[in-house]
């Protein structure tokens, strides 16, 4: 266990050490227990740590103040040591349950945003990110580009090799698209064999270069096993805002998708940049 002489030292201890529960005297030199609780409450990463206040005061008002400030429990001195240990154990159990729940919630949040097959972002996560980046792009006048990527003749791959092998192709393509991105770029599975790549702070010319690099990288993939003889190619459509024809996220997706359709019509395994951008 860790000890501190006063509230300020206790707060510094919390900042620098993993702590499961705090026993804090209400009356301390320099900083009392209520001020300590106030400082703890100012840091979101510390608010989950339970604090048991200890005091010699029987004042109902003091108890209420402590609990309102976020104390988890209140023990009046002199106290029975077994009772105090029991109260500490209760708080430790509650914290473990809270930590487990938080971990599960984080896991569920991650699962809700990740495509389980390719392990890149799913359409839901993409749309949320696009809305945020589109608003930022409009507010600051910075460019935002979108690549729509479709695996060429994917149905034939499934028909020839089977869906399990087709899944391996999807994973390989997703990995190639996701490789080498900046922290604020986002690769996502849009649906089926179609993927997207969101490129904030990227104008149309630069996005076209990225698209060509992705196309070449995927064309150079060499898959093993039953897929050893297969050459995978993709078609890509590129759109960017600001553009007079792009007012919102739906417009950006639609115009990039139109460019993708044109790439497929022109023979596939190529990049088409939306002329309206």
């Amino acid at each position: 266990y860790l000890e501190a002489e006063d509230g300020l030292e206790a707060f510094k201890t919390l900042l620098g050490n993993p702590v499961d529960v705090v026993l804090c005297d209400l009356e301390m030199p320099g900083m009392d227990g209520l001020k300590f609780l106030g400082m703890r409450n100012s840091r979101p990463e510390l608010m989950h740590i339970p604090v048991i206040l200890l005091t010699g005061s029987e004042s109902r008002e003091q108890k209420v103040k402590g609990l309102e400030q976020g104390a988890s429990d209140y023990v009046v001195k002199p106290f029975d040591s077994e009772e105090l240990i029991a109260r500490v154990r209760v708080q430790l159990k509650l914290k473990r349950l809270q930590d487990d729940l938080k971990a599960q919630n984080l896991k569920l949040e991650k699962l809700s945003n990740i495509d389980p097959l390719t392990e890149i972002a799913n359409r839901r996560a993409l749309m949320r990110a696009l809305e945020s980046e589109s608003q930022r792009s409009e507010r600051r006048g910075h460019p935002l580009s979108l690549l729509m990527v479709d695996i060429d003749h994917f149905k034939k791959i499934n028909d020839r090799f089977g869906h399990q092998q087709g899944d391996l192709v999807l994973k390989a393509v997703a990995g190639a698209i996701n490789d080498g991105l900046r922290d604020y770029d986002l690769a996502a599975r849009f649906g089926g064999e179609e993927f997207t790549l969101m490129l904030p702070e990227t104008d149309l010319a630069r996005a076209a270069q990225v698209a060509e690099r992705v196309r070449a990288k995927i064309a150079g993939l060499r898959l093993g096993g039953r897929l050893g003889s297969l050459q995978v190619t993709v078609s890509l459509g590129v759109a960017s805002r600001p553009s007079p024809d792009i007012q919102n996220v739906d417009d950006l997706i639609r115009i990039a998708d139109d460019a993708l359709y044109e790439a497929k019509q022109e023979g596939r395994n190529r990049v088409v940049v939306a002329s309206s951008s």
Side-chain angles (χ1 to χ4, degrees):
Y1 66 93
L2 303 168
E3 292 185 359
E5 291 291 332
D6 55 36
L8 183 58
E9 186 181 337
F11 182 70
K12 291 178 180 178
T13 300
L14 278 188
L15 291 174
N17 299 274
V19 174
D20 290 319
V21 65
V22 175
L23 298 177
C24 176
D25 207 310
L26 184 60
E27 296 151 2
M28 296 181 292
M31 179 188 294
D32 64 20
L34 294 179
K35 289 182 180 178
F36 167 76
L37 283 169
M39 290 191 69
R40 184 209 64 166
N41 295 343
S42 70
R43 301 294 291 262
E45 71 273 23
L46 303 179
M47 288 183 65
H48 69 287
I49 301 174
V51 176
I52 300 176
L53 284 180
L54 309 176
T55 181
S57 172
E58 291 278 1
S59 166
R60 178 177 176 274
E61 183 183 351
Q62 287 284 69
K63 291 180 181 179
V64 171
K65 270 188 179 180
L67 294 172
E68 286 180 344
Q69 281 284 86
S72 300
D73 203 352
Y74 202 103
V75 179
V76 177
K77 299 184 289 187
F79 49 79
D80 181 80
S81 59
E82 290 186 4
E83 179 188 354
L84 180 60
I85 291 171
R87 289 176 181 267
V88 169
R89 284 175 175 165
V90 168
Q91 294 304 322
L92 287 172
K93 182 178 180 180
L94 289 174
K95 185 175 183 296
R96 279 195 296 270
L97 291 172
Q98 184 183 50
D99 290 346
D100 288 345
L101 180 60
K102 184 178 179 181
Q104 289 298 319
N105 286 338
L106 288 173
K107 185 177 180 181
L108 287 173
E109 183 179 357
K110 180 180 178 182
L111 289 173
S112 71
N113 292 322
I114 298 295
D115 176 64
L117 175 65
T118 60
E119 297 183 349
I120 62 174
N122 59 19
R123 186 167 178 165
R124 174 186 174 186
L126 169 76
M127 297 306 295
R128 186 165 58 244
L130 268 178
E131 287 290 350
S132 175
E133 287 297 336
S134 183
Q135 291 173 14
R136 192 168 70 92
S137 169
E138 184 174 1
R139 188 169 60 250
R140 298 184 179 180
H142 293 180
L144 170 65
S145 294
L146 185 71
L147 278 57
M148 299 294 289
V149 187
D150 189 82
I151 301 176
D152 295 330
H153 303 298
F154 186 69
K155 184 179 183 302
K156 292 182 179 179
I157 295 174
N158 274 337
D159 291 344
R160 179 181 172 187
F161 297 98
H163 288 277
Q164 287 186 330
Q165 297 298 310
D167 286 349
L168 296 179
V169 173
L170 290 170
K171 290 179 182 180
V173 169
I177 295 172
N178 197 45
D179 183 46
L181 298 184
R182 301 168 298 183
D183 290 341
Y184 47 86
D185 296 334
L186 182 67
R189 186 180 181 190
F190 198 70
E193 68 271 23
E194 195 168 16
F195 298 86
T196 56
L197 184 52
M198 181 187 75
L199 302 172
E201 306 290 338
T202 306
D203 61 19
L204 193 64
R206 176 61 182 151
Q209 294 174 357
V210 173
E212 177 55 32
R213 188 170 70 241
V214 169
R215 186 207 63 77
K217 184 184 295 185
I218 294 171
L221 285 176
R222 291 297 175 263
L223 306 176
R226 292 176 54 198
L227 298 170
S229 62
L230 178 67
Q231 181 181 17
V232 181
T233 63
V234 293
S235 302
L236 301 97
V238 185
S240 184
R241 66 174 311 178
S243 164
D245 295 327
I246 298 177
Q247 304 300 319
N248 51 47
V249 167
D250 290 340
D251 290 343
L252 183 63
I253 294 172
R254 175 178 52 80
I255 291 177
D257 204 44
D258 288 345
L260 169 62
Y261 179 78
E262 188 176 339
K264 293 161 83 172
Q265 291 294 104
E266 290 182 5
R268 296 182 169 84
N269 191 23
R270 67 191 63 221
V271 174
V272 169
V273 176
S275 57
S276 58
S277 292

